[in-house]
Amino acid sequence: MLIDLQQRLAVVTGGASNIGRGISLQLADSGAQVLIIDKDLVQAQCTADLRPGKIRVMACDLSDPLQVQTLGQRLAENEVVDILVNNAGWVASEYFEKKDLAEIDFEIRLNLIAPLLLTRMLVPGMIARKRGRIISVASEAGRTGQRTQVAYSAAKAGVMGMTRSLSHEVGRYGITVNAIAPAMTLPESSEDVGVGSMQTQRNRSPEMMAKIVKAYPMGRVGHPPDIAAAVVFLASDQAGFITGQTLPVNGGFITT
């Protein structure tokens, strides 16, 4: 199945590293022009340099609602956005009773408020043009819950709720709204990780990883190209009759 996204602009939040980097590169490889939104411009430019002329970068702290609204207005006025990928996310694992309130607020703003606001700002243009793809990277934590990730799980569940509800409103305009629920997804090399990536906070021993992998029927955890392939498909014309869905891309970790 050949997917052709030429003459389409895809906005990818958090597109500088890990999952977002993989998504940005595969969208570019499928013909799309890509605009990475990230606060780590150094890492974002490193990603853009891998596809010269195909990827641009723009700075924004997506945890700041005012910056997100300004960004959304700028995009709505100056760009024709065909594909929106709400990918940026962050979690700092901690038991809920010990979680700092500022950390809870940060995780809700980045993981839920930012996708809501940016989608809200770009939907009117898609409605006017009677086409569009909105794809959000949620998480299995939002589907099933995850110990030490209460706020993150709540935010990702909210993203899936947004996906279902919005699909009912905009389907008649030719717009599809879907989400993807990855399980553990790790970068394939250190080059995939910027200073702002939450993967910089992870330190898993080989012994720990061996135990984790045993829970995956595929015998490994996910990598960015696994998630990116699903995003590219949902962005394509071939997925034009799929909307309101959350697609698990988890190697069989959860089978509901």
Side-chain angles (χ1 to χ4, degrees), residues 81-104:
V81 178
D82 302 289
I83 303 160
L84 170 62
V85 183
N86 292 307
N87 165 75
W90 176 273
V91 60
S93 297
E94 180 61 272
Y95 282 99
F96 195 56
E97 73 271 17
K98 299 178 181 178
K99 189 87 166 178
D100 186 85
L101 294 180
E103 290 182 344
I104 293 173

Tab-separated table of all heavy atoms in Angstrom, residues 81-104:
chain	number	residue	atom	x	y	z
A	81	VAL	N	-2.911	23.814	7.561
A	81	VAL	CA	-2.551	22.583	8.265
A	81	VAL	C	-3.527	21.475	7.872
A	81	VAL	O	-4.723	21.554	8.150
A	81	VAL	CB	-2.561	22.801	9.794
A	81	VAL	CG1	-2.218	21.490	10.510
A	81	VAL	CG2	-1.582	23.898	10.181
A	82	ASP	N	-3.004	20.461	7.230
A	82	ASP	CA	-3.819	19.322	6.809
A	82	ASP	C	-3.839	18.220	7.854
A	82	ASP	O	-4.829	17.497	7.998
A	82	ASP	CB	-3.278	18.741	5.502
A	82	ASP	CG	-3.229	19.773	4.386
A	82	ASP	OD1	-4.306	20.157	3.902
A	82	ASP	OD2	-2.114	20.199	4.019
A	83	ILE	N	-2.725	18.079	8.584
A	83	ILE	CA	-2.559	16.990	9.545
A	83	ILE	C	-2.019	17.575	10.841
A	83	ILE	O	-0.979	18.251	10.842
A	83	ILE	CB	-1.561	15.935	9.014
A	83	ILE	CG1	-2.012	15.372	7.665
A	83	ILE	CG2	-1.364	14.813	10.032
A	83	ILE	CD1	-0.896	14.716	6.870
A	84	LEU	N	-2.705	17.335	11.934
A	84	LEU	CA	-2.228	17.745	13.251
A	84	LEU	C	-1.924	16.495	14.053
A	84	LEU	O	-2.794	15.648	14.241
A	84	LEU	CB	-3.268	18.593	13.979
A	84	LEU	CG	-2.970	18.882	15.459
A	84	LEU	CD1	-1.672	19.671	15.609
A	84	LEU	CD2	-4.137	19.624	16.112
A	85	VAL	N	-0.683	16.395	14.526
A	85	VAL	CA	-0.290	15.272	15.379
A	85	VAL	C	0.037	15.818	16.763
A	85	VAL	O	1.064	16.479	16.966
A	85	VAL	CB	0.918	14.512	14.812
A	85	VAL	CG1	1.243	13.313	15.705
A	85	VAL	CG2	0.648	14.052	13.383
A	86	ASN	N	-0.871	15.572	17.720
A	86	ASN	CA	-0.653	15.974	19.110
A	86	ASN	C	0.181	14.895	19.785
A	86	ASN	O	-0.335	13.909	20.294
A	86	ASN	CB	-2.000	16.121	19.830
A	86	ASN	CG	-2.822	17.273	19.312
A	86	ASN	OD1	-2.351	18.404	19.243
A	86	ASN	ND2	-4.068	16.996	18.937
A	87	ASN	N	1.494	15.101	19.782
A	87	ASN	CA	2.392	14.066	20.285
A	87	ASN	C	3.088	14.435	21.594
A	87	ASN	O	3.392	13.551	22.398
A	87	ASN	CB	3.454	13.747	19.221
A	87	ASN	CG	4.610	12.977	19.799
A	87	ASN	OD1	4.517	11.786	20.074
A	87	ASN	ND2	5.728	13.660	20.023
A	88	ALA	N	3.345	15.706	21.820
A	88	ALA	CA	4.148	16.110	22.978
A	88	ALA	C	3.558	15.573	24.277
A	88	ALA	O	2.346	15.628	24.495
A	88	ALA	CB	4.245	17.633	23.044
A	89	GLY	N	4.426	15.045	25.130
A	89	GLY	CA	3.947	14.504	26.390
A	89	GLY	C	5.073	14.351	27.395
A	89	GLY	O	6.256	14.411	27.055
A	90	TRP	N	4.672	14.146	28.632
A	90	TRP	CA	5.664	14.018	29.712
A	90	TRP	C	5.013	13.328	30.898
A	90	TRP	O	3.843	13.564	31.209
A	90	TRP	CB	6.156	15.396	30.135
A	90	TRP	CG	7.101	15.364	31.310
A	90	TRP	CD1	6.779	15.377	32.635
A	90	TRP	CD2	8.525	15.296	31.258
A	90	TRP	NE1	7.907	15.325	33.407
A	90	TRP	CE2	9.003	15.278	32.583
A	90	TRP	CE3	9.453	15.256	30.217
A	90	TRP	CZ2	10.356	15.224	32.896
A	90	TRP	CZ3	10.803	15.203	30.533
A	90	TRP	CH2	11.243	15.191	31.850
A	91	VAL	N	5.772	12.476	31.563
A	91	VAL	CA	5.329	11.895	32.822
A	91	VAL	C	6.529	11.739	33.735
A	91	VAL	O	7.611	11.335	33.297
A	91	VAL	CB	4.627	10.527	32.611
A	91	VAL	CG1	5.545	9.527	31.951
A	91	VAL	CG2	4.112	9.974	33.948
A	92	ALA	N	6.353	12.100	34.984
A	92	ALA	CA	7.341	11.843	36.029
A	92	ALA	C	6.682	10.877	37.020
A	92	ALA	O	5.775	11.266	37.758
A	92	ALA	CB	7.767	13.132	36.714
A	93	SER	N	7.103	9.639	36.992
A	93	SER	CA	6.432	8.606	37.785
A	93	SER	C	6.672	8.829	39.275
A	93	SER	O	7.811	9.003	39.725
A	93	SER	CB	6.944	7.222	37.376
A	93	SER	OG	6.626	6.952	36.028
A	94	GLU	N	5.579	8.816	40.033
A	94	GLU	CA	5.626	8.989	41.486
A	94	GLU	C	4.282	8.594	42.056
A	94	GLU	O	3.235	8.815	41.433
A	94	GLU	CB	5.938	10.449	41.838
A	94	GLU	CG	6.017	10.763	43.317
A	94	GLU	CD	7.102	9.997	44.039
A	94	GLU	OE1	6.787	8.865	44.491
A	94	GLU	OE2	8.236	10.506	44.135
A	95	TYR	N	4.292	7.975	43.226
A	95	TYR	CA	3.022	7.633	43.862
A	95	TYR	C	2.231	8.908	44.133
A	95	TYR	O	2.777	9.940	44.510
A	95	TYR	CB	3.255	6.845	45.144
A	95	TYR	CG	3.591	5.400	44.863
A	95	TYR	CD1	4.915	4.961	44.876
A	95	TYR	CD2	2.581	4.486	44.556
A	95	TYR	CE1	5.222	3.631	44.603
A	95	TYR	CE2	2.880	3.166	44.281
A	95	TYR	CZ	4.202	2.738	44.298
A	95	TYR	OH	4.495	1.431	44.010
A	96	PHE	N	0.919	8.807	43.925
A	96	PHE	CA	0.069	9.993	43.897
A	96	PHE	C	0.128	10.794	45.186
A	96	PHE	O	0.130	12.026	45.163
A	96	PHE	CB	-1.372	9.574	43.599
A	96	PHE	CG	-2.271	10.713	43.202
A	96	PHE	CD1	-1.958	11.532	42.141
A	96	PHE	CD2	-3.456	10.949	43.899
A	96	PHE	CE1	-2.792	12.576	41.759
A	96	PHE	CE2	-4.293	11.990	43.537
A	96	PHE	CZ	-3.959	12.805	42.469
A	97	GLU	N	0.193	10.104	46.330
A	97	GLU	CA	0.199	10.837	47.602
A	97	GLU	C	1.489	11.627	47.810
A	97	GLU	O	1.545	12.523	48.654
A	97	GLU	CB	-0.020	9.877	48.783
A	97	GLU	CG	1.164	8.974	49.131
A	97	GLU	CD	1.142	7.670	48.360
A	97	GLU	OE1	0.414	7.589	47.347
A	97	GLU	OE2	1.852	6.734	48.765
A	98	LYS	N	2.506	11.322	47.008
A	98	LYS	CA	3.777	12.033	47.114
A	98	LYS	C	3.974	13.035	45.983
A	98	LYS	O	4.953	13.780	45.986
A	98	LYS	CB	4.937	11.032	47.103
A	98	LYS	CG	4.911	10.047	48.254
A	98	LYS	CD	6.070	9.062	48.138
A	98	LYS	CE	6.040	8.045	49.275
A	98	LYS	NZ	7.143	7.051	49.158
A	99	LYS	N	3.050	13.035	45.046
A	99	LYS	CA	3.209	13.857	43.848
A	99	LYS	C	3.059	15.338	44.180
A	99	LYS	O	2.080	15.754	44.820
A	99	LYS	CB	2.157	13.452	42.812
A	99	LYS	CG	2.328	14.064	41.443
A	99	LYS	CD	3.250	13.240	40.590
A	99	LYS	CE	3.163	13.658	39.142
A	99	LYS	NZ	4.105	12.896	38.306
A	100	ASP	N	4.002	16.124	43.731
A	100	ASP	CA	3.931	17.562	43.933
A	100	ASP	C	2.801	18.143	43.088
A	100	ASP	O	2.598	17.758	41.931
A	100	ASP	CB	5.263	18.189	43.533
A	100	ASP	CG	5.317	19.668	43.847
A	100	ASP	OD1	5.642	20.023	44.990
A	100	ASP	OD2	5.031	20.466	42.930
A	101	LEU	N	2.055	19.086	43.667
A	101	LEU	CA	0.921	19.663	42.953
A	101	LEU	C	1.348	20.384	41.680
A	101	LEU	O	0.624	20.377	40.678
A	101	LEU	CB	0.161	20.620	43.872
A	101	LEU	CG	-0.549	19.978	45.071
A	101	LEU	CD1	-1.252	21.045	45.900
A	101	LEU	CD2	-1.551	18.937	44.597
A	102	ALA	N	2.524	20.993	41.710
A	102	ALA	CA	3.018	21.669	40.509
A	102	ALA	C	3.284	20.656	39.390
A	102	ALA	O	3.061	20.946	38.214
A	102	ALA	CB	4.292	22.449	40.831
A	103	GLU	N	3.754	19.465	39.748
A	103	GLU	CA	3.989	18.430	38.744
A	103	GLU	C	2.676	17.940	38.149
A	103	GLU	O	2.580	17.677	36.943
A	103	GLU	CB	4.757	17.256	39.357
A	103	GLU	CG	6.203	17.564	39.692
A	103	GLU	CD	6.926	16.357	40.250
A	103	GLU	OE1	6.246	15.380	40.650
A	103	GLU	OE2	8.164	16.374	40.276
A	104	ILE	N	1.649	17.802	38.988
A	104	ILE	CA	0.328	17.404	38.487
A	104	ILE	C	-0.179	18.437	37.496
A	104	ILE	O	-0.658	18.108	36.396
A	104	ILE	CB	-0.663	17.228	39.648
A	104	ILE	CG1	-0.262	16.038	40.519
A	104	ILE	CG2	-2.095	17.052	39.130
A	104	ILE	CD1	-1.097	15.890	41.778
